[in-house]
Amino acid sequence: MVEAIMPGKIPLWLDCDPGHDDATAILLAIHLDNINLLGVSTVHGNTTVHWTVTNAARCLHAFGAPAHIQVYPGAEKPLSRDAPKHCPEIHGEDGLAGVVGLPSPDSSEVQARFACDADGKRMSALQGMTKAVKEVWNAGRGRKVTIVSTGPMTNIAIFISAHPELLDGVEQFVFMGGANGFGNIAPAAAEAAQIVVNNPVKTIMLPLDVTHTAIVHHGIHARLCATHQHEHDLLNSPPTKLREMLSSLVTFFAKAYREVFDFQDGPPLHDALTIAYVSNPDLFKGRRLHVDVETRGEHTTGATIVHTFTYRPYDDTWGSNGKNCVVLESLEVETFFDILLDCIDRCDKVSPLNTQ
């Protein structure tokens, strides 16, 4: 059920694949003062849809989300490829390996987070997204919805293709992924990503060039574990169950990034940056450019091609003939982490983990 429009808040739909860093995106979407989180859909990606939707439900409960914010399972596989690629080497088989303190997947609190229709059947990502945009946009009498993607964009591409008539009700699409010069391994999402960048609505690309600057280094981890924010010389035992859970998340994620990608200072907090952008775009700098996605390359499928130079003429429309993405290029890293830690303070006051 979509909550009524909240004046002064940005209506936001989050599509994700939790995933350690997706969990922090969910936390920010719940606790940033100017965000109205409408719902959370999940997709194949870091792990299977069974686990991504379960993890999203577990996070909503752990982070004290209002009861009306629910989860909607989405696509189990890519648009035109036989099998999704998961990331057990980074996130474990269940997507949140090493994270302690989350509620059991079969607990009543977690099961209550699954959105159901009048007949008690679980609603899909497409149903949830469609319902949210229709109700909030209200045929032009309401507000436009920002749709954020932190995983493969299969659900978003399906929504764009199935409901072009609802795109007037979308303020912007914001996605984490791609890069300008290097990148990740995401061939399964290539066709979906091309549909998204070619859509006629404003689109924001948050590439790895930027997310790799948001490193949870020792000092940030220590602040997360501290009773007071100025205590950051040593890693203390976390003072609450919520912080213990988040510390275990960072610890596992840091180990995975150290062993797989040789990140020695800590893991990058990719996905949370999408929500930070929607809340405070002035933290970022970027340029409006044309972006394509390679869909047929033997070694490069899924790569984003960012047309940095202007020798090819693109107009000012969004979509295939225009400068179709605002490509973010830098971030005020310290301010971002201050915002994240402030949200953790707010979450600490309401998390049911702390009352167990």
Side-chain angles (χ1 to χ4, degrees):
M1 177 180 175
V2 176
E3 186 76 346
I5 295 174
M6 298 181 181
K9 293 197 173 191
I10 300 165
L12 183 145
W13 185 273
L14 175 59
D15 189 77
C16 56
D17 61 337
H20 294 72
D21 48 330
D22 299 82
T24 61
I26 293 171
L27 188 152
L28 280 182
I30 295 167
H31 291 288
L32 278 166
D33 286 339
N34 64 342
I35 299 294
N36 176 18
L37 180 60
L38 304 173
V40 179
S41 53
T42 73
V43 67
H44 65 89
N46 290 326
T47 183
T48 65
V49 167
H50 165 76
W51 278 115
T52 60
V53 72
T54 300
N55 289 341
R58 297 166 83 195
C59 287
L60 287 178
H61 174 71
F63 300 149
H68 71 269
I69 302 176
Q70 295 181 299
V71 297
Y72 303 75
E76 297 181 354
K77 62 180 183 177
L79 293 178
S80 59
R81 297 172 191 268
D82 291 335
K85 174 181 171 56
H86 303 314
C87 301
E89 70 279 11
I90 303 298
H91 299 280
E93 293 294 338
D94 69 355
L96 287 176
V99 180
V100 302
L102 286 173
S104 169
D106 58 2
S107 68
S108 60
E109 295 87 356
V110 170
Q111 294 303 308
R113 290 290 177 172
F114 285 82
C116 296
D117 62 19
D119 296 324
K121 183 179 178 182
R122 287 184 177 179
M123 296 176 65
S124 71
L126 179 60
Q127 289 173 312
M129 212 177 303
T130 301
K131 185 173 186 288
V133 174
K134 279 184 177 179
E135 291 186 3
V136 175
W137 174 232
N138 192 20
R141 294 182 291 272
R143 299 276 302 280
K144 293 190 176 189
V145 176
T146 289
I147 298 179
V148 172
S149 170
T150 63
M153 290 190 279
T154 312
N155 291 338
I156 311 300
I158 291 171
F159 170 77
I160 290 169
S161 301
H163 291 291
E165 79 282 0
L166 290 181
L167 294 181
D168 283 344
V170 177
E171 180 71 32
Q172 60 185 346
F173 293 100
V174 179
F175 72 92
M176 193 294 295
N180 188 2
F182 69 100
N184 206 345
I185 302 172
E191 291 80 8
Q194 186 66 67
I195 289 171
V196 174
V197 299
N198 279 346
N199 92 88
V201 175
K202 180 180 180 180
T203 301
I204 312 297
M205 172 176 159
L206 180 54
L208 271 66
D209 314 58
V210 177
T211 67
H212 280 182
T213 67
I215 300 296
V216 187
H217 56 70
H218 176 89
I220 298 297
H221 194 175
R223 288 173 65 190
L224 186 155
C225 293
T227 305
H228 303 290
Q229 287 299 310
H230 67 274
E231 296 175 359
H232 52 78
D233 294 329
L234 296 171
L235 276 177
N236 300 316
S237 296
T240 66
K241 292 294 185 181
L242 171 74
R243 291 176 187 271
E244 182 180 8
M245 172 254 170
L246 292 171
S247 179
S248 70
L249 182 153
V250 170
T251 298
F252 183 93
F253 206 32
K255 181 176 183 290
Y257 260 79
R258 185 168 58 251
E259 294 177 351
V260 176
F261 296 119
D262 197 32
F263 274 54
Q264 296 300 316
D265 296 329
L269 216 55
H270 308 281
D271 295 340
L273 295 177
T274 58
I275 309 301
Y277 173 81
V278 176
S279 173
N280 192 346
D282 291 341
L283 291 179
F284 299 79
K285 292 182 180 178
R287 288 183 290 166
R288 188 171 171 185
L289 300 166
H290 184 82
V291 175
D292 285 306
V293 181
E294 177 58 69
T295 59
R296 296 188 296 273
E298 180 179 356
H299 303 293
T300 58
T301 298
T304 47
I305 297 89
V306 180
H307 296 253
T308 306
F309 300 105
T310 58
Y311 61 88
R312 293 186 63 179
Y314 291 105
D315 59 35
D316 289 331
T317 61
W318 302 101
S320 59
N321 295 320
K323 297 175 183 177
N324 56 357
C325 286
V326 174
V327 181
L328 301 181
E329 297 177 313
S330 64
L331 158 73
E332 294 180 20
V333 176
E334 290 185 7
T335 305
F336 162 70
F337 279 115
D338 287 343
I339 291 170
L340 174 66
L341 290 163
D342 283 345
C343 283
I344 292 172
D345 285 346
R346 294 184 201 126
C347 186
D348 223 4
K349 294 180 174 67
V350 298
S351 172
L353 299 186
N354 294 339
T355 60
Q356 293 175 354

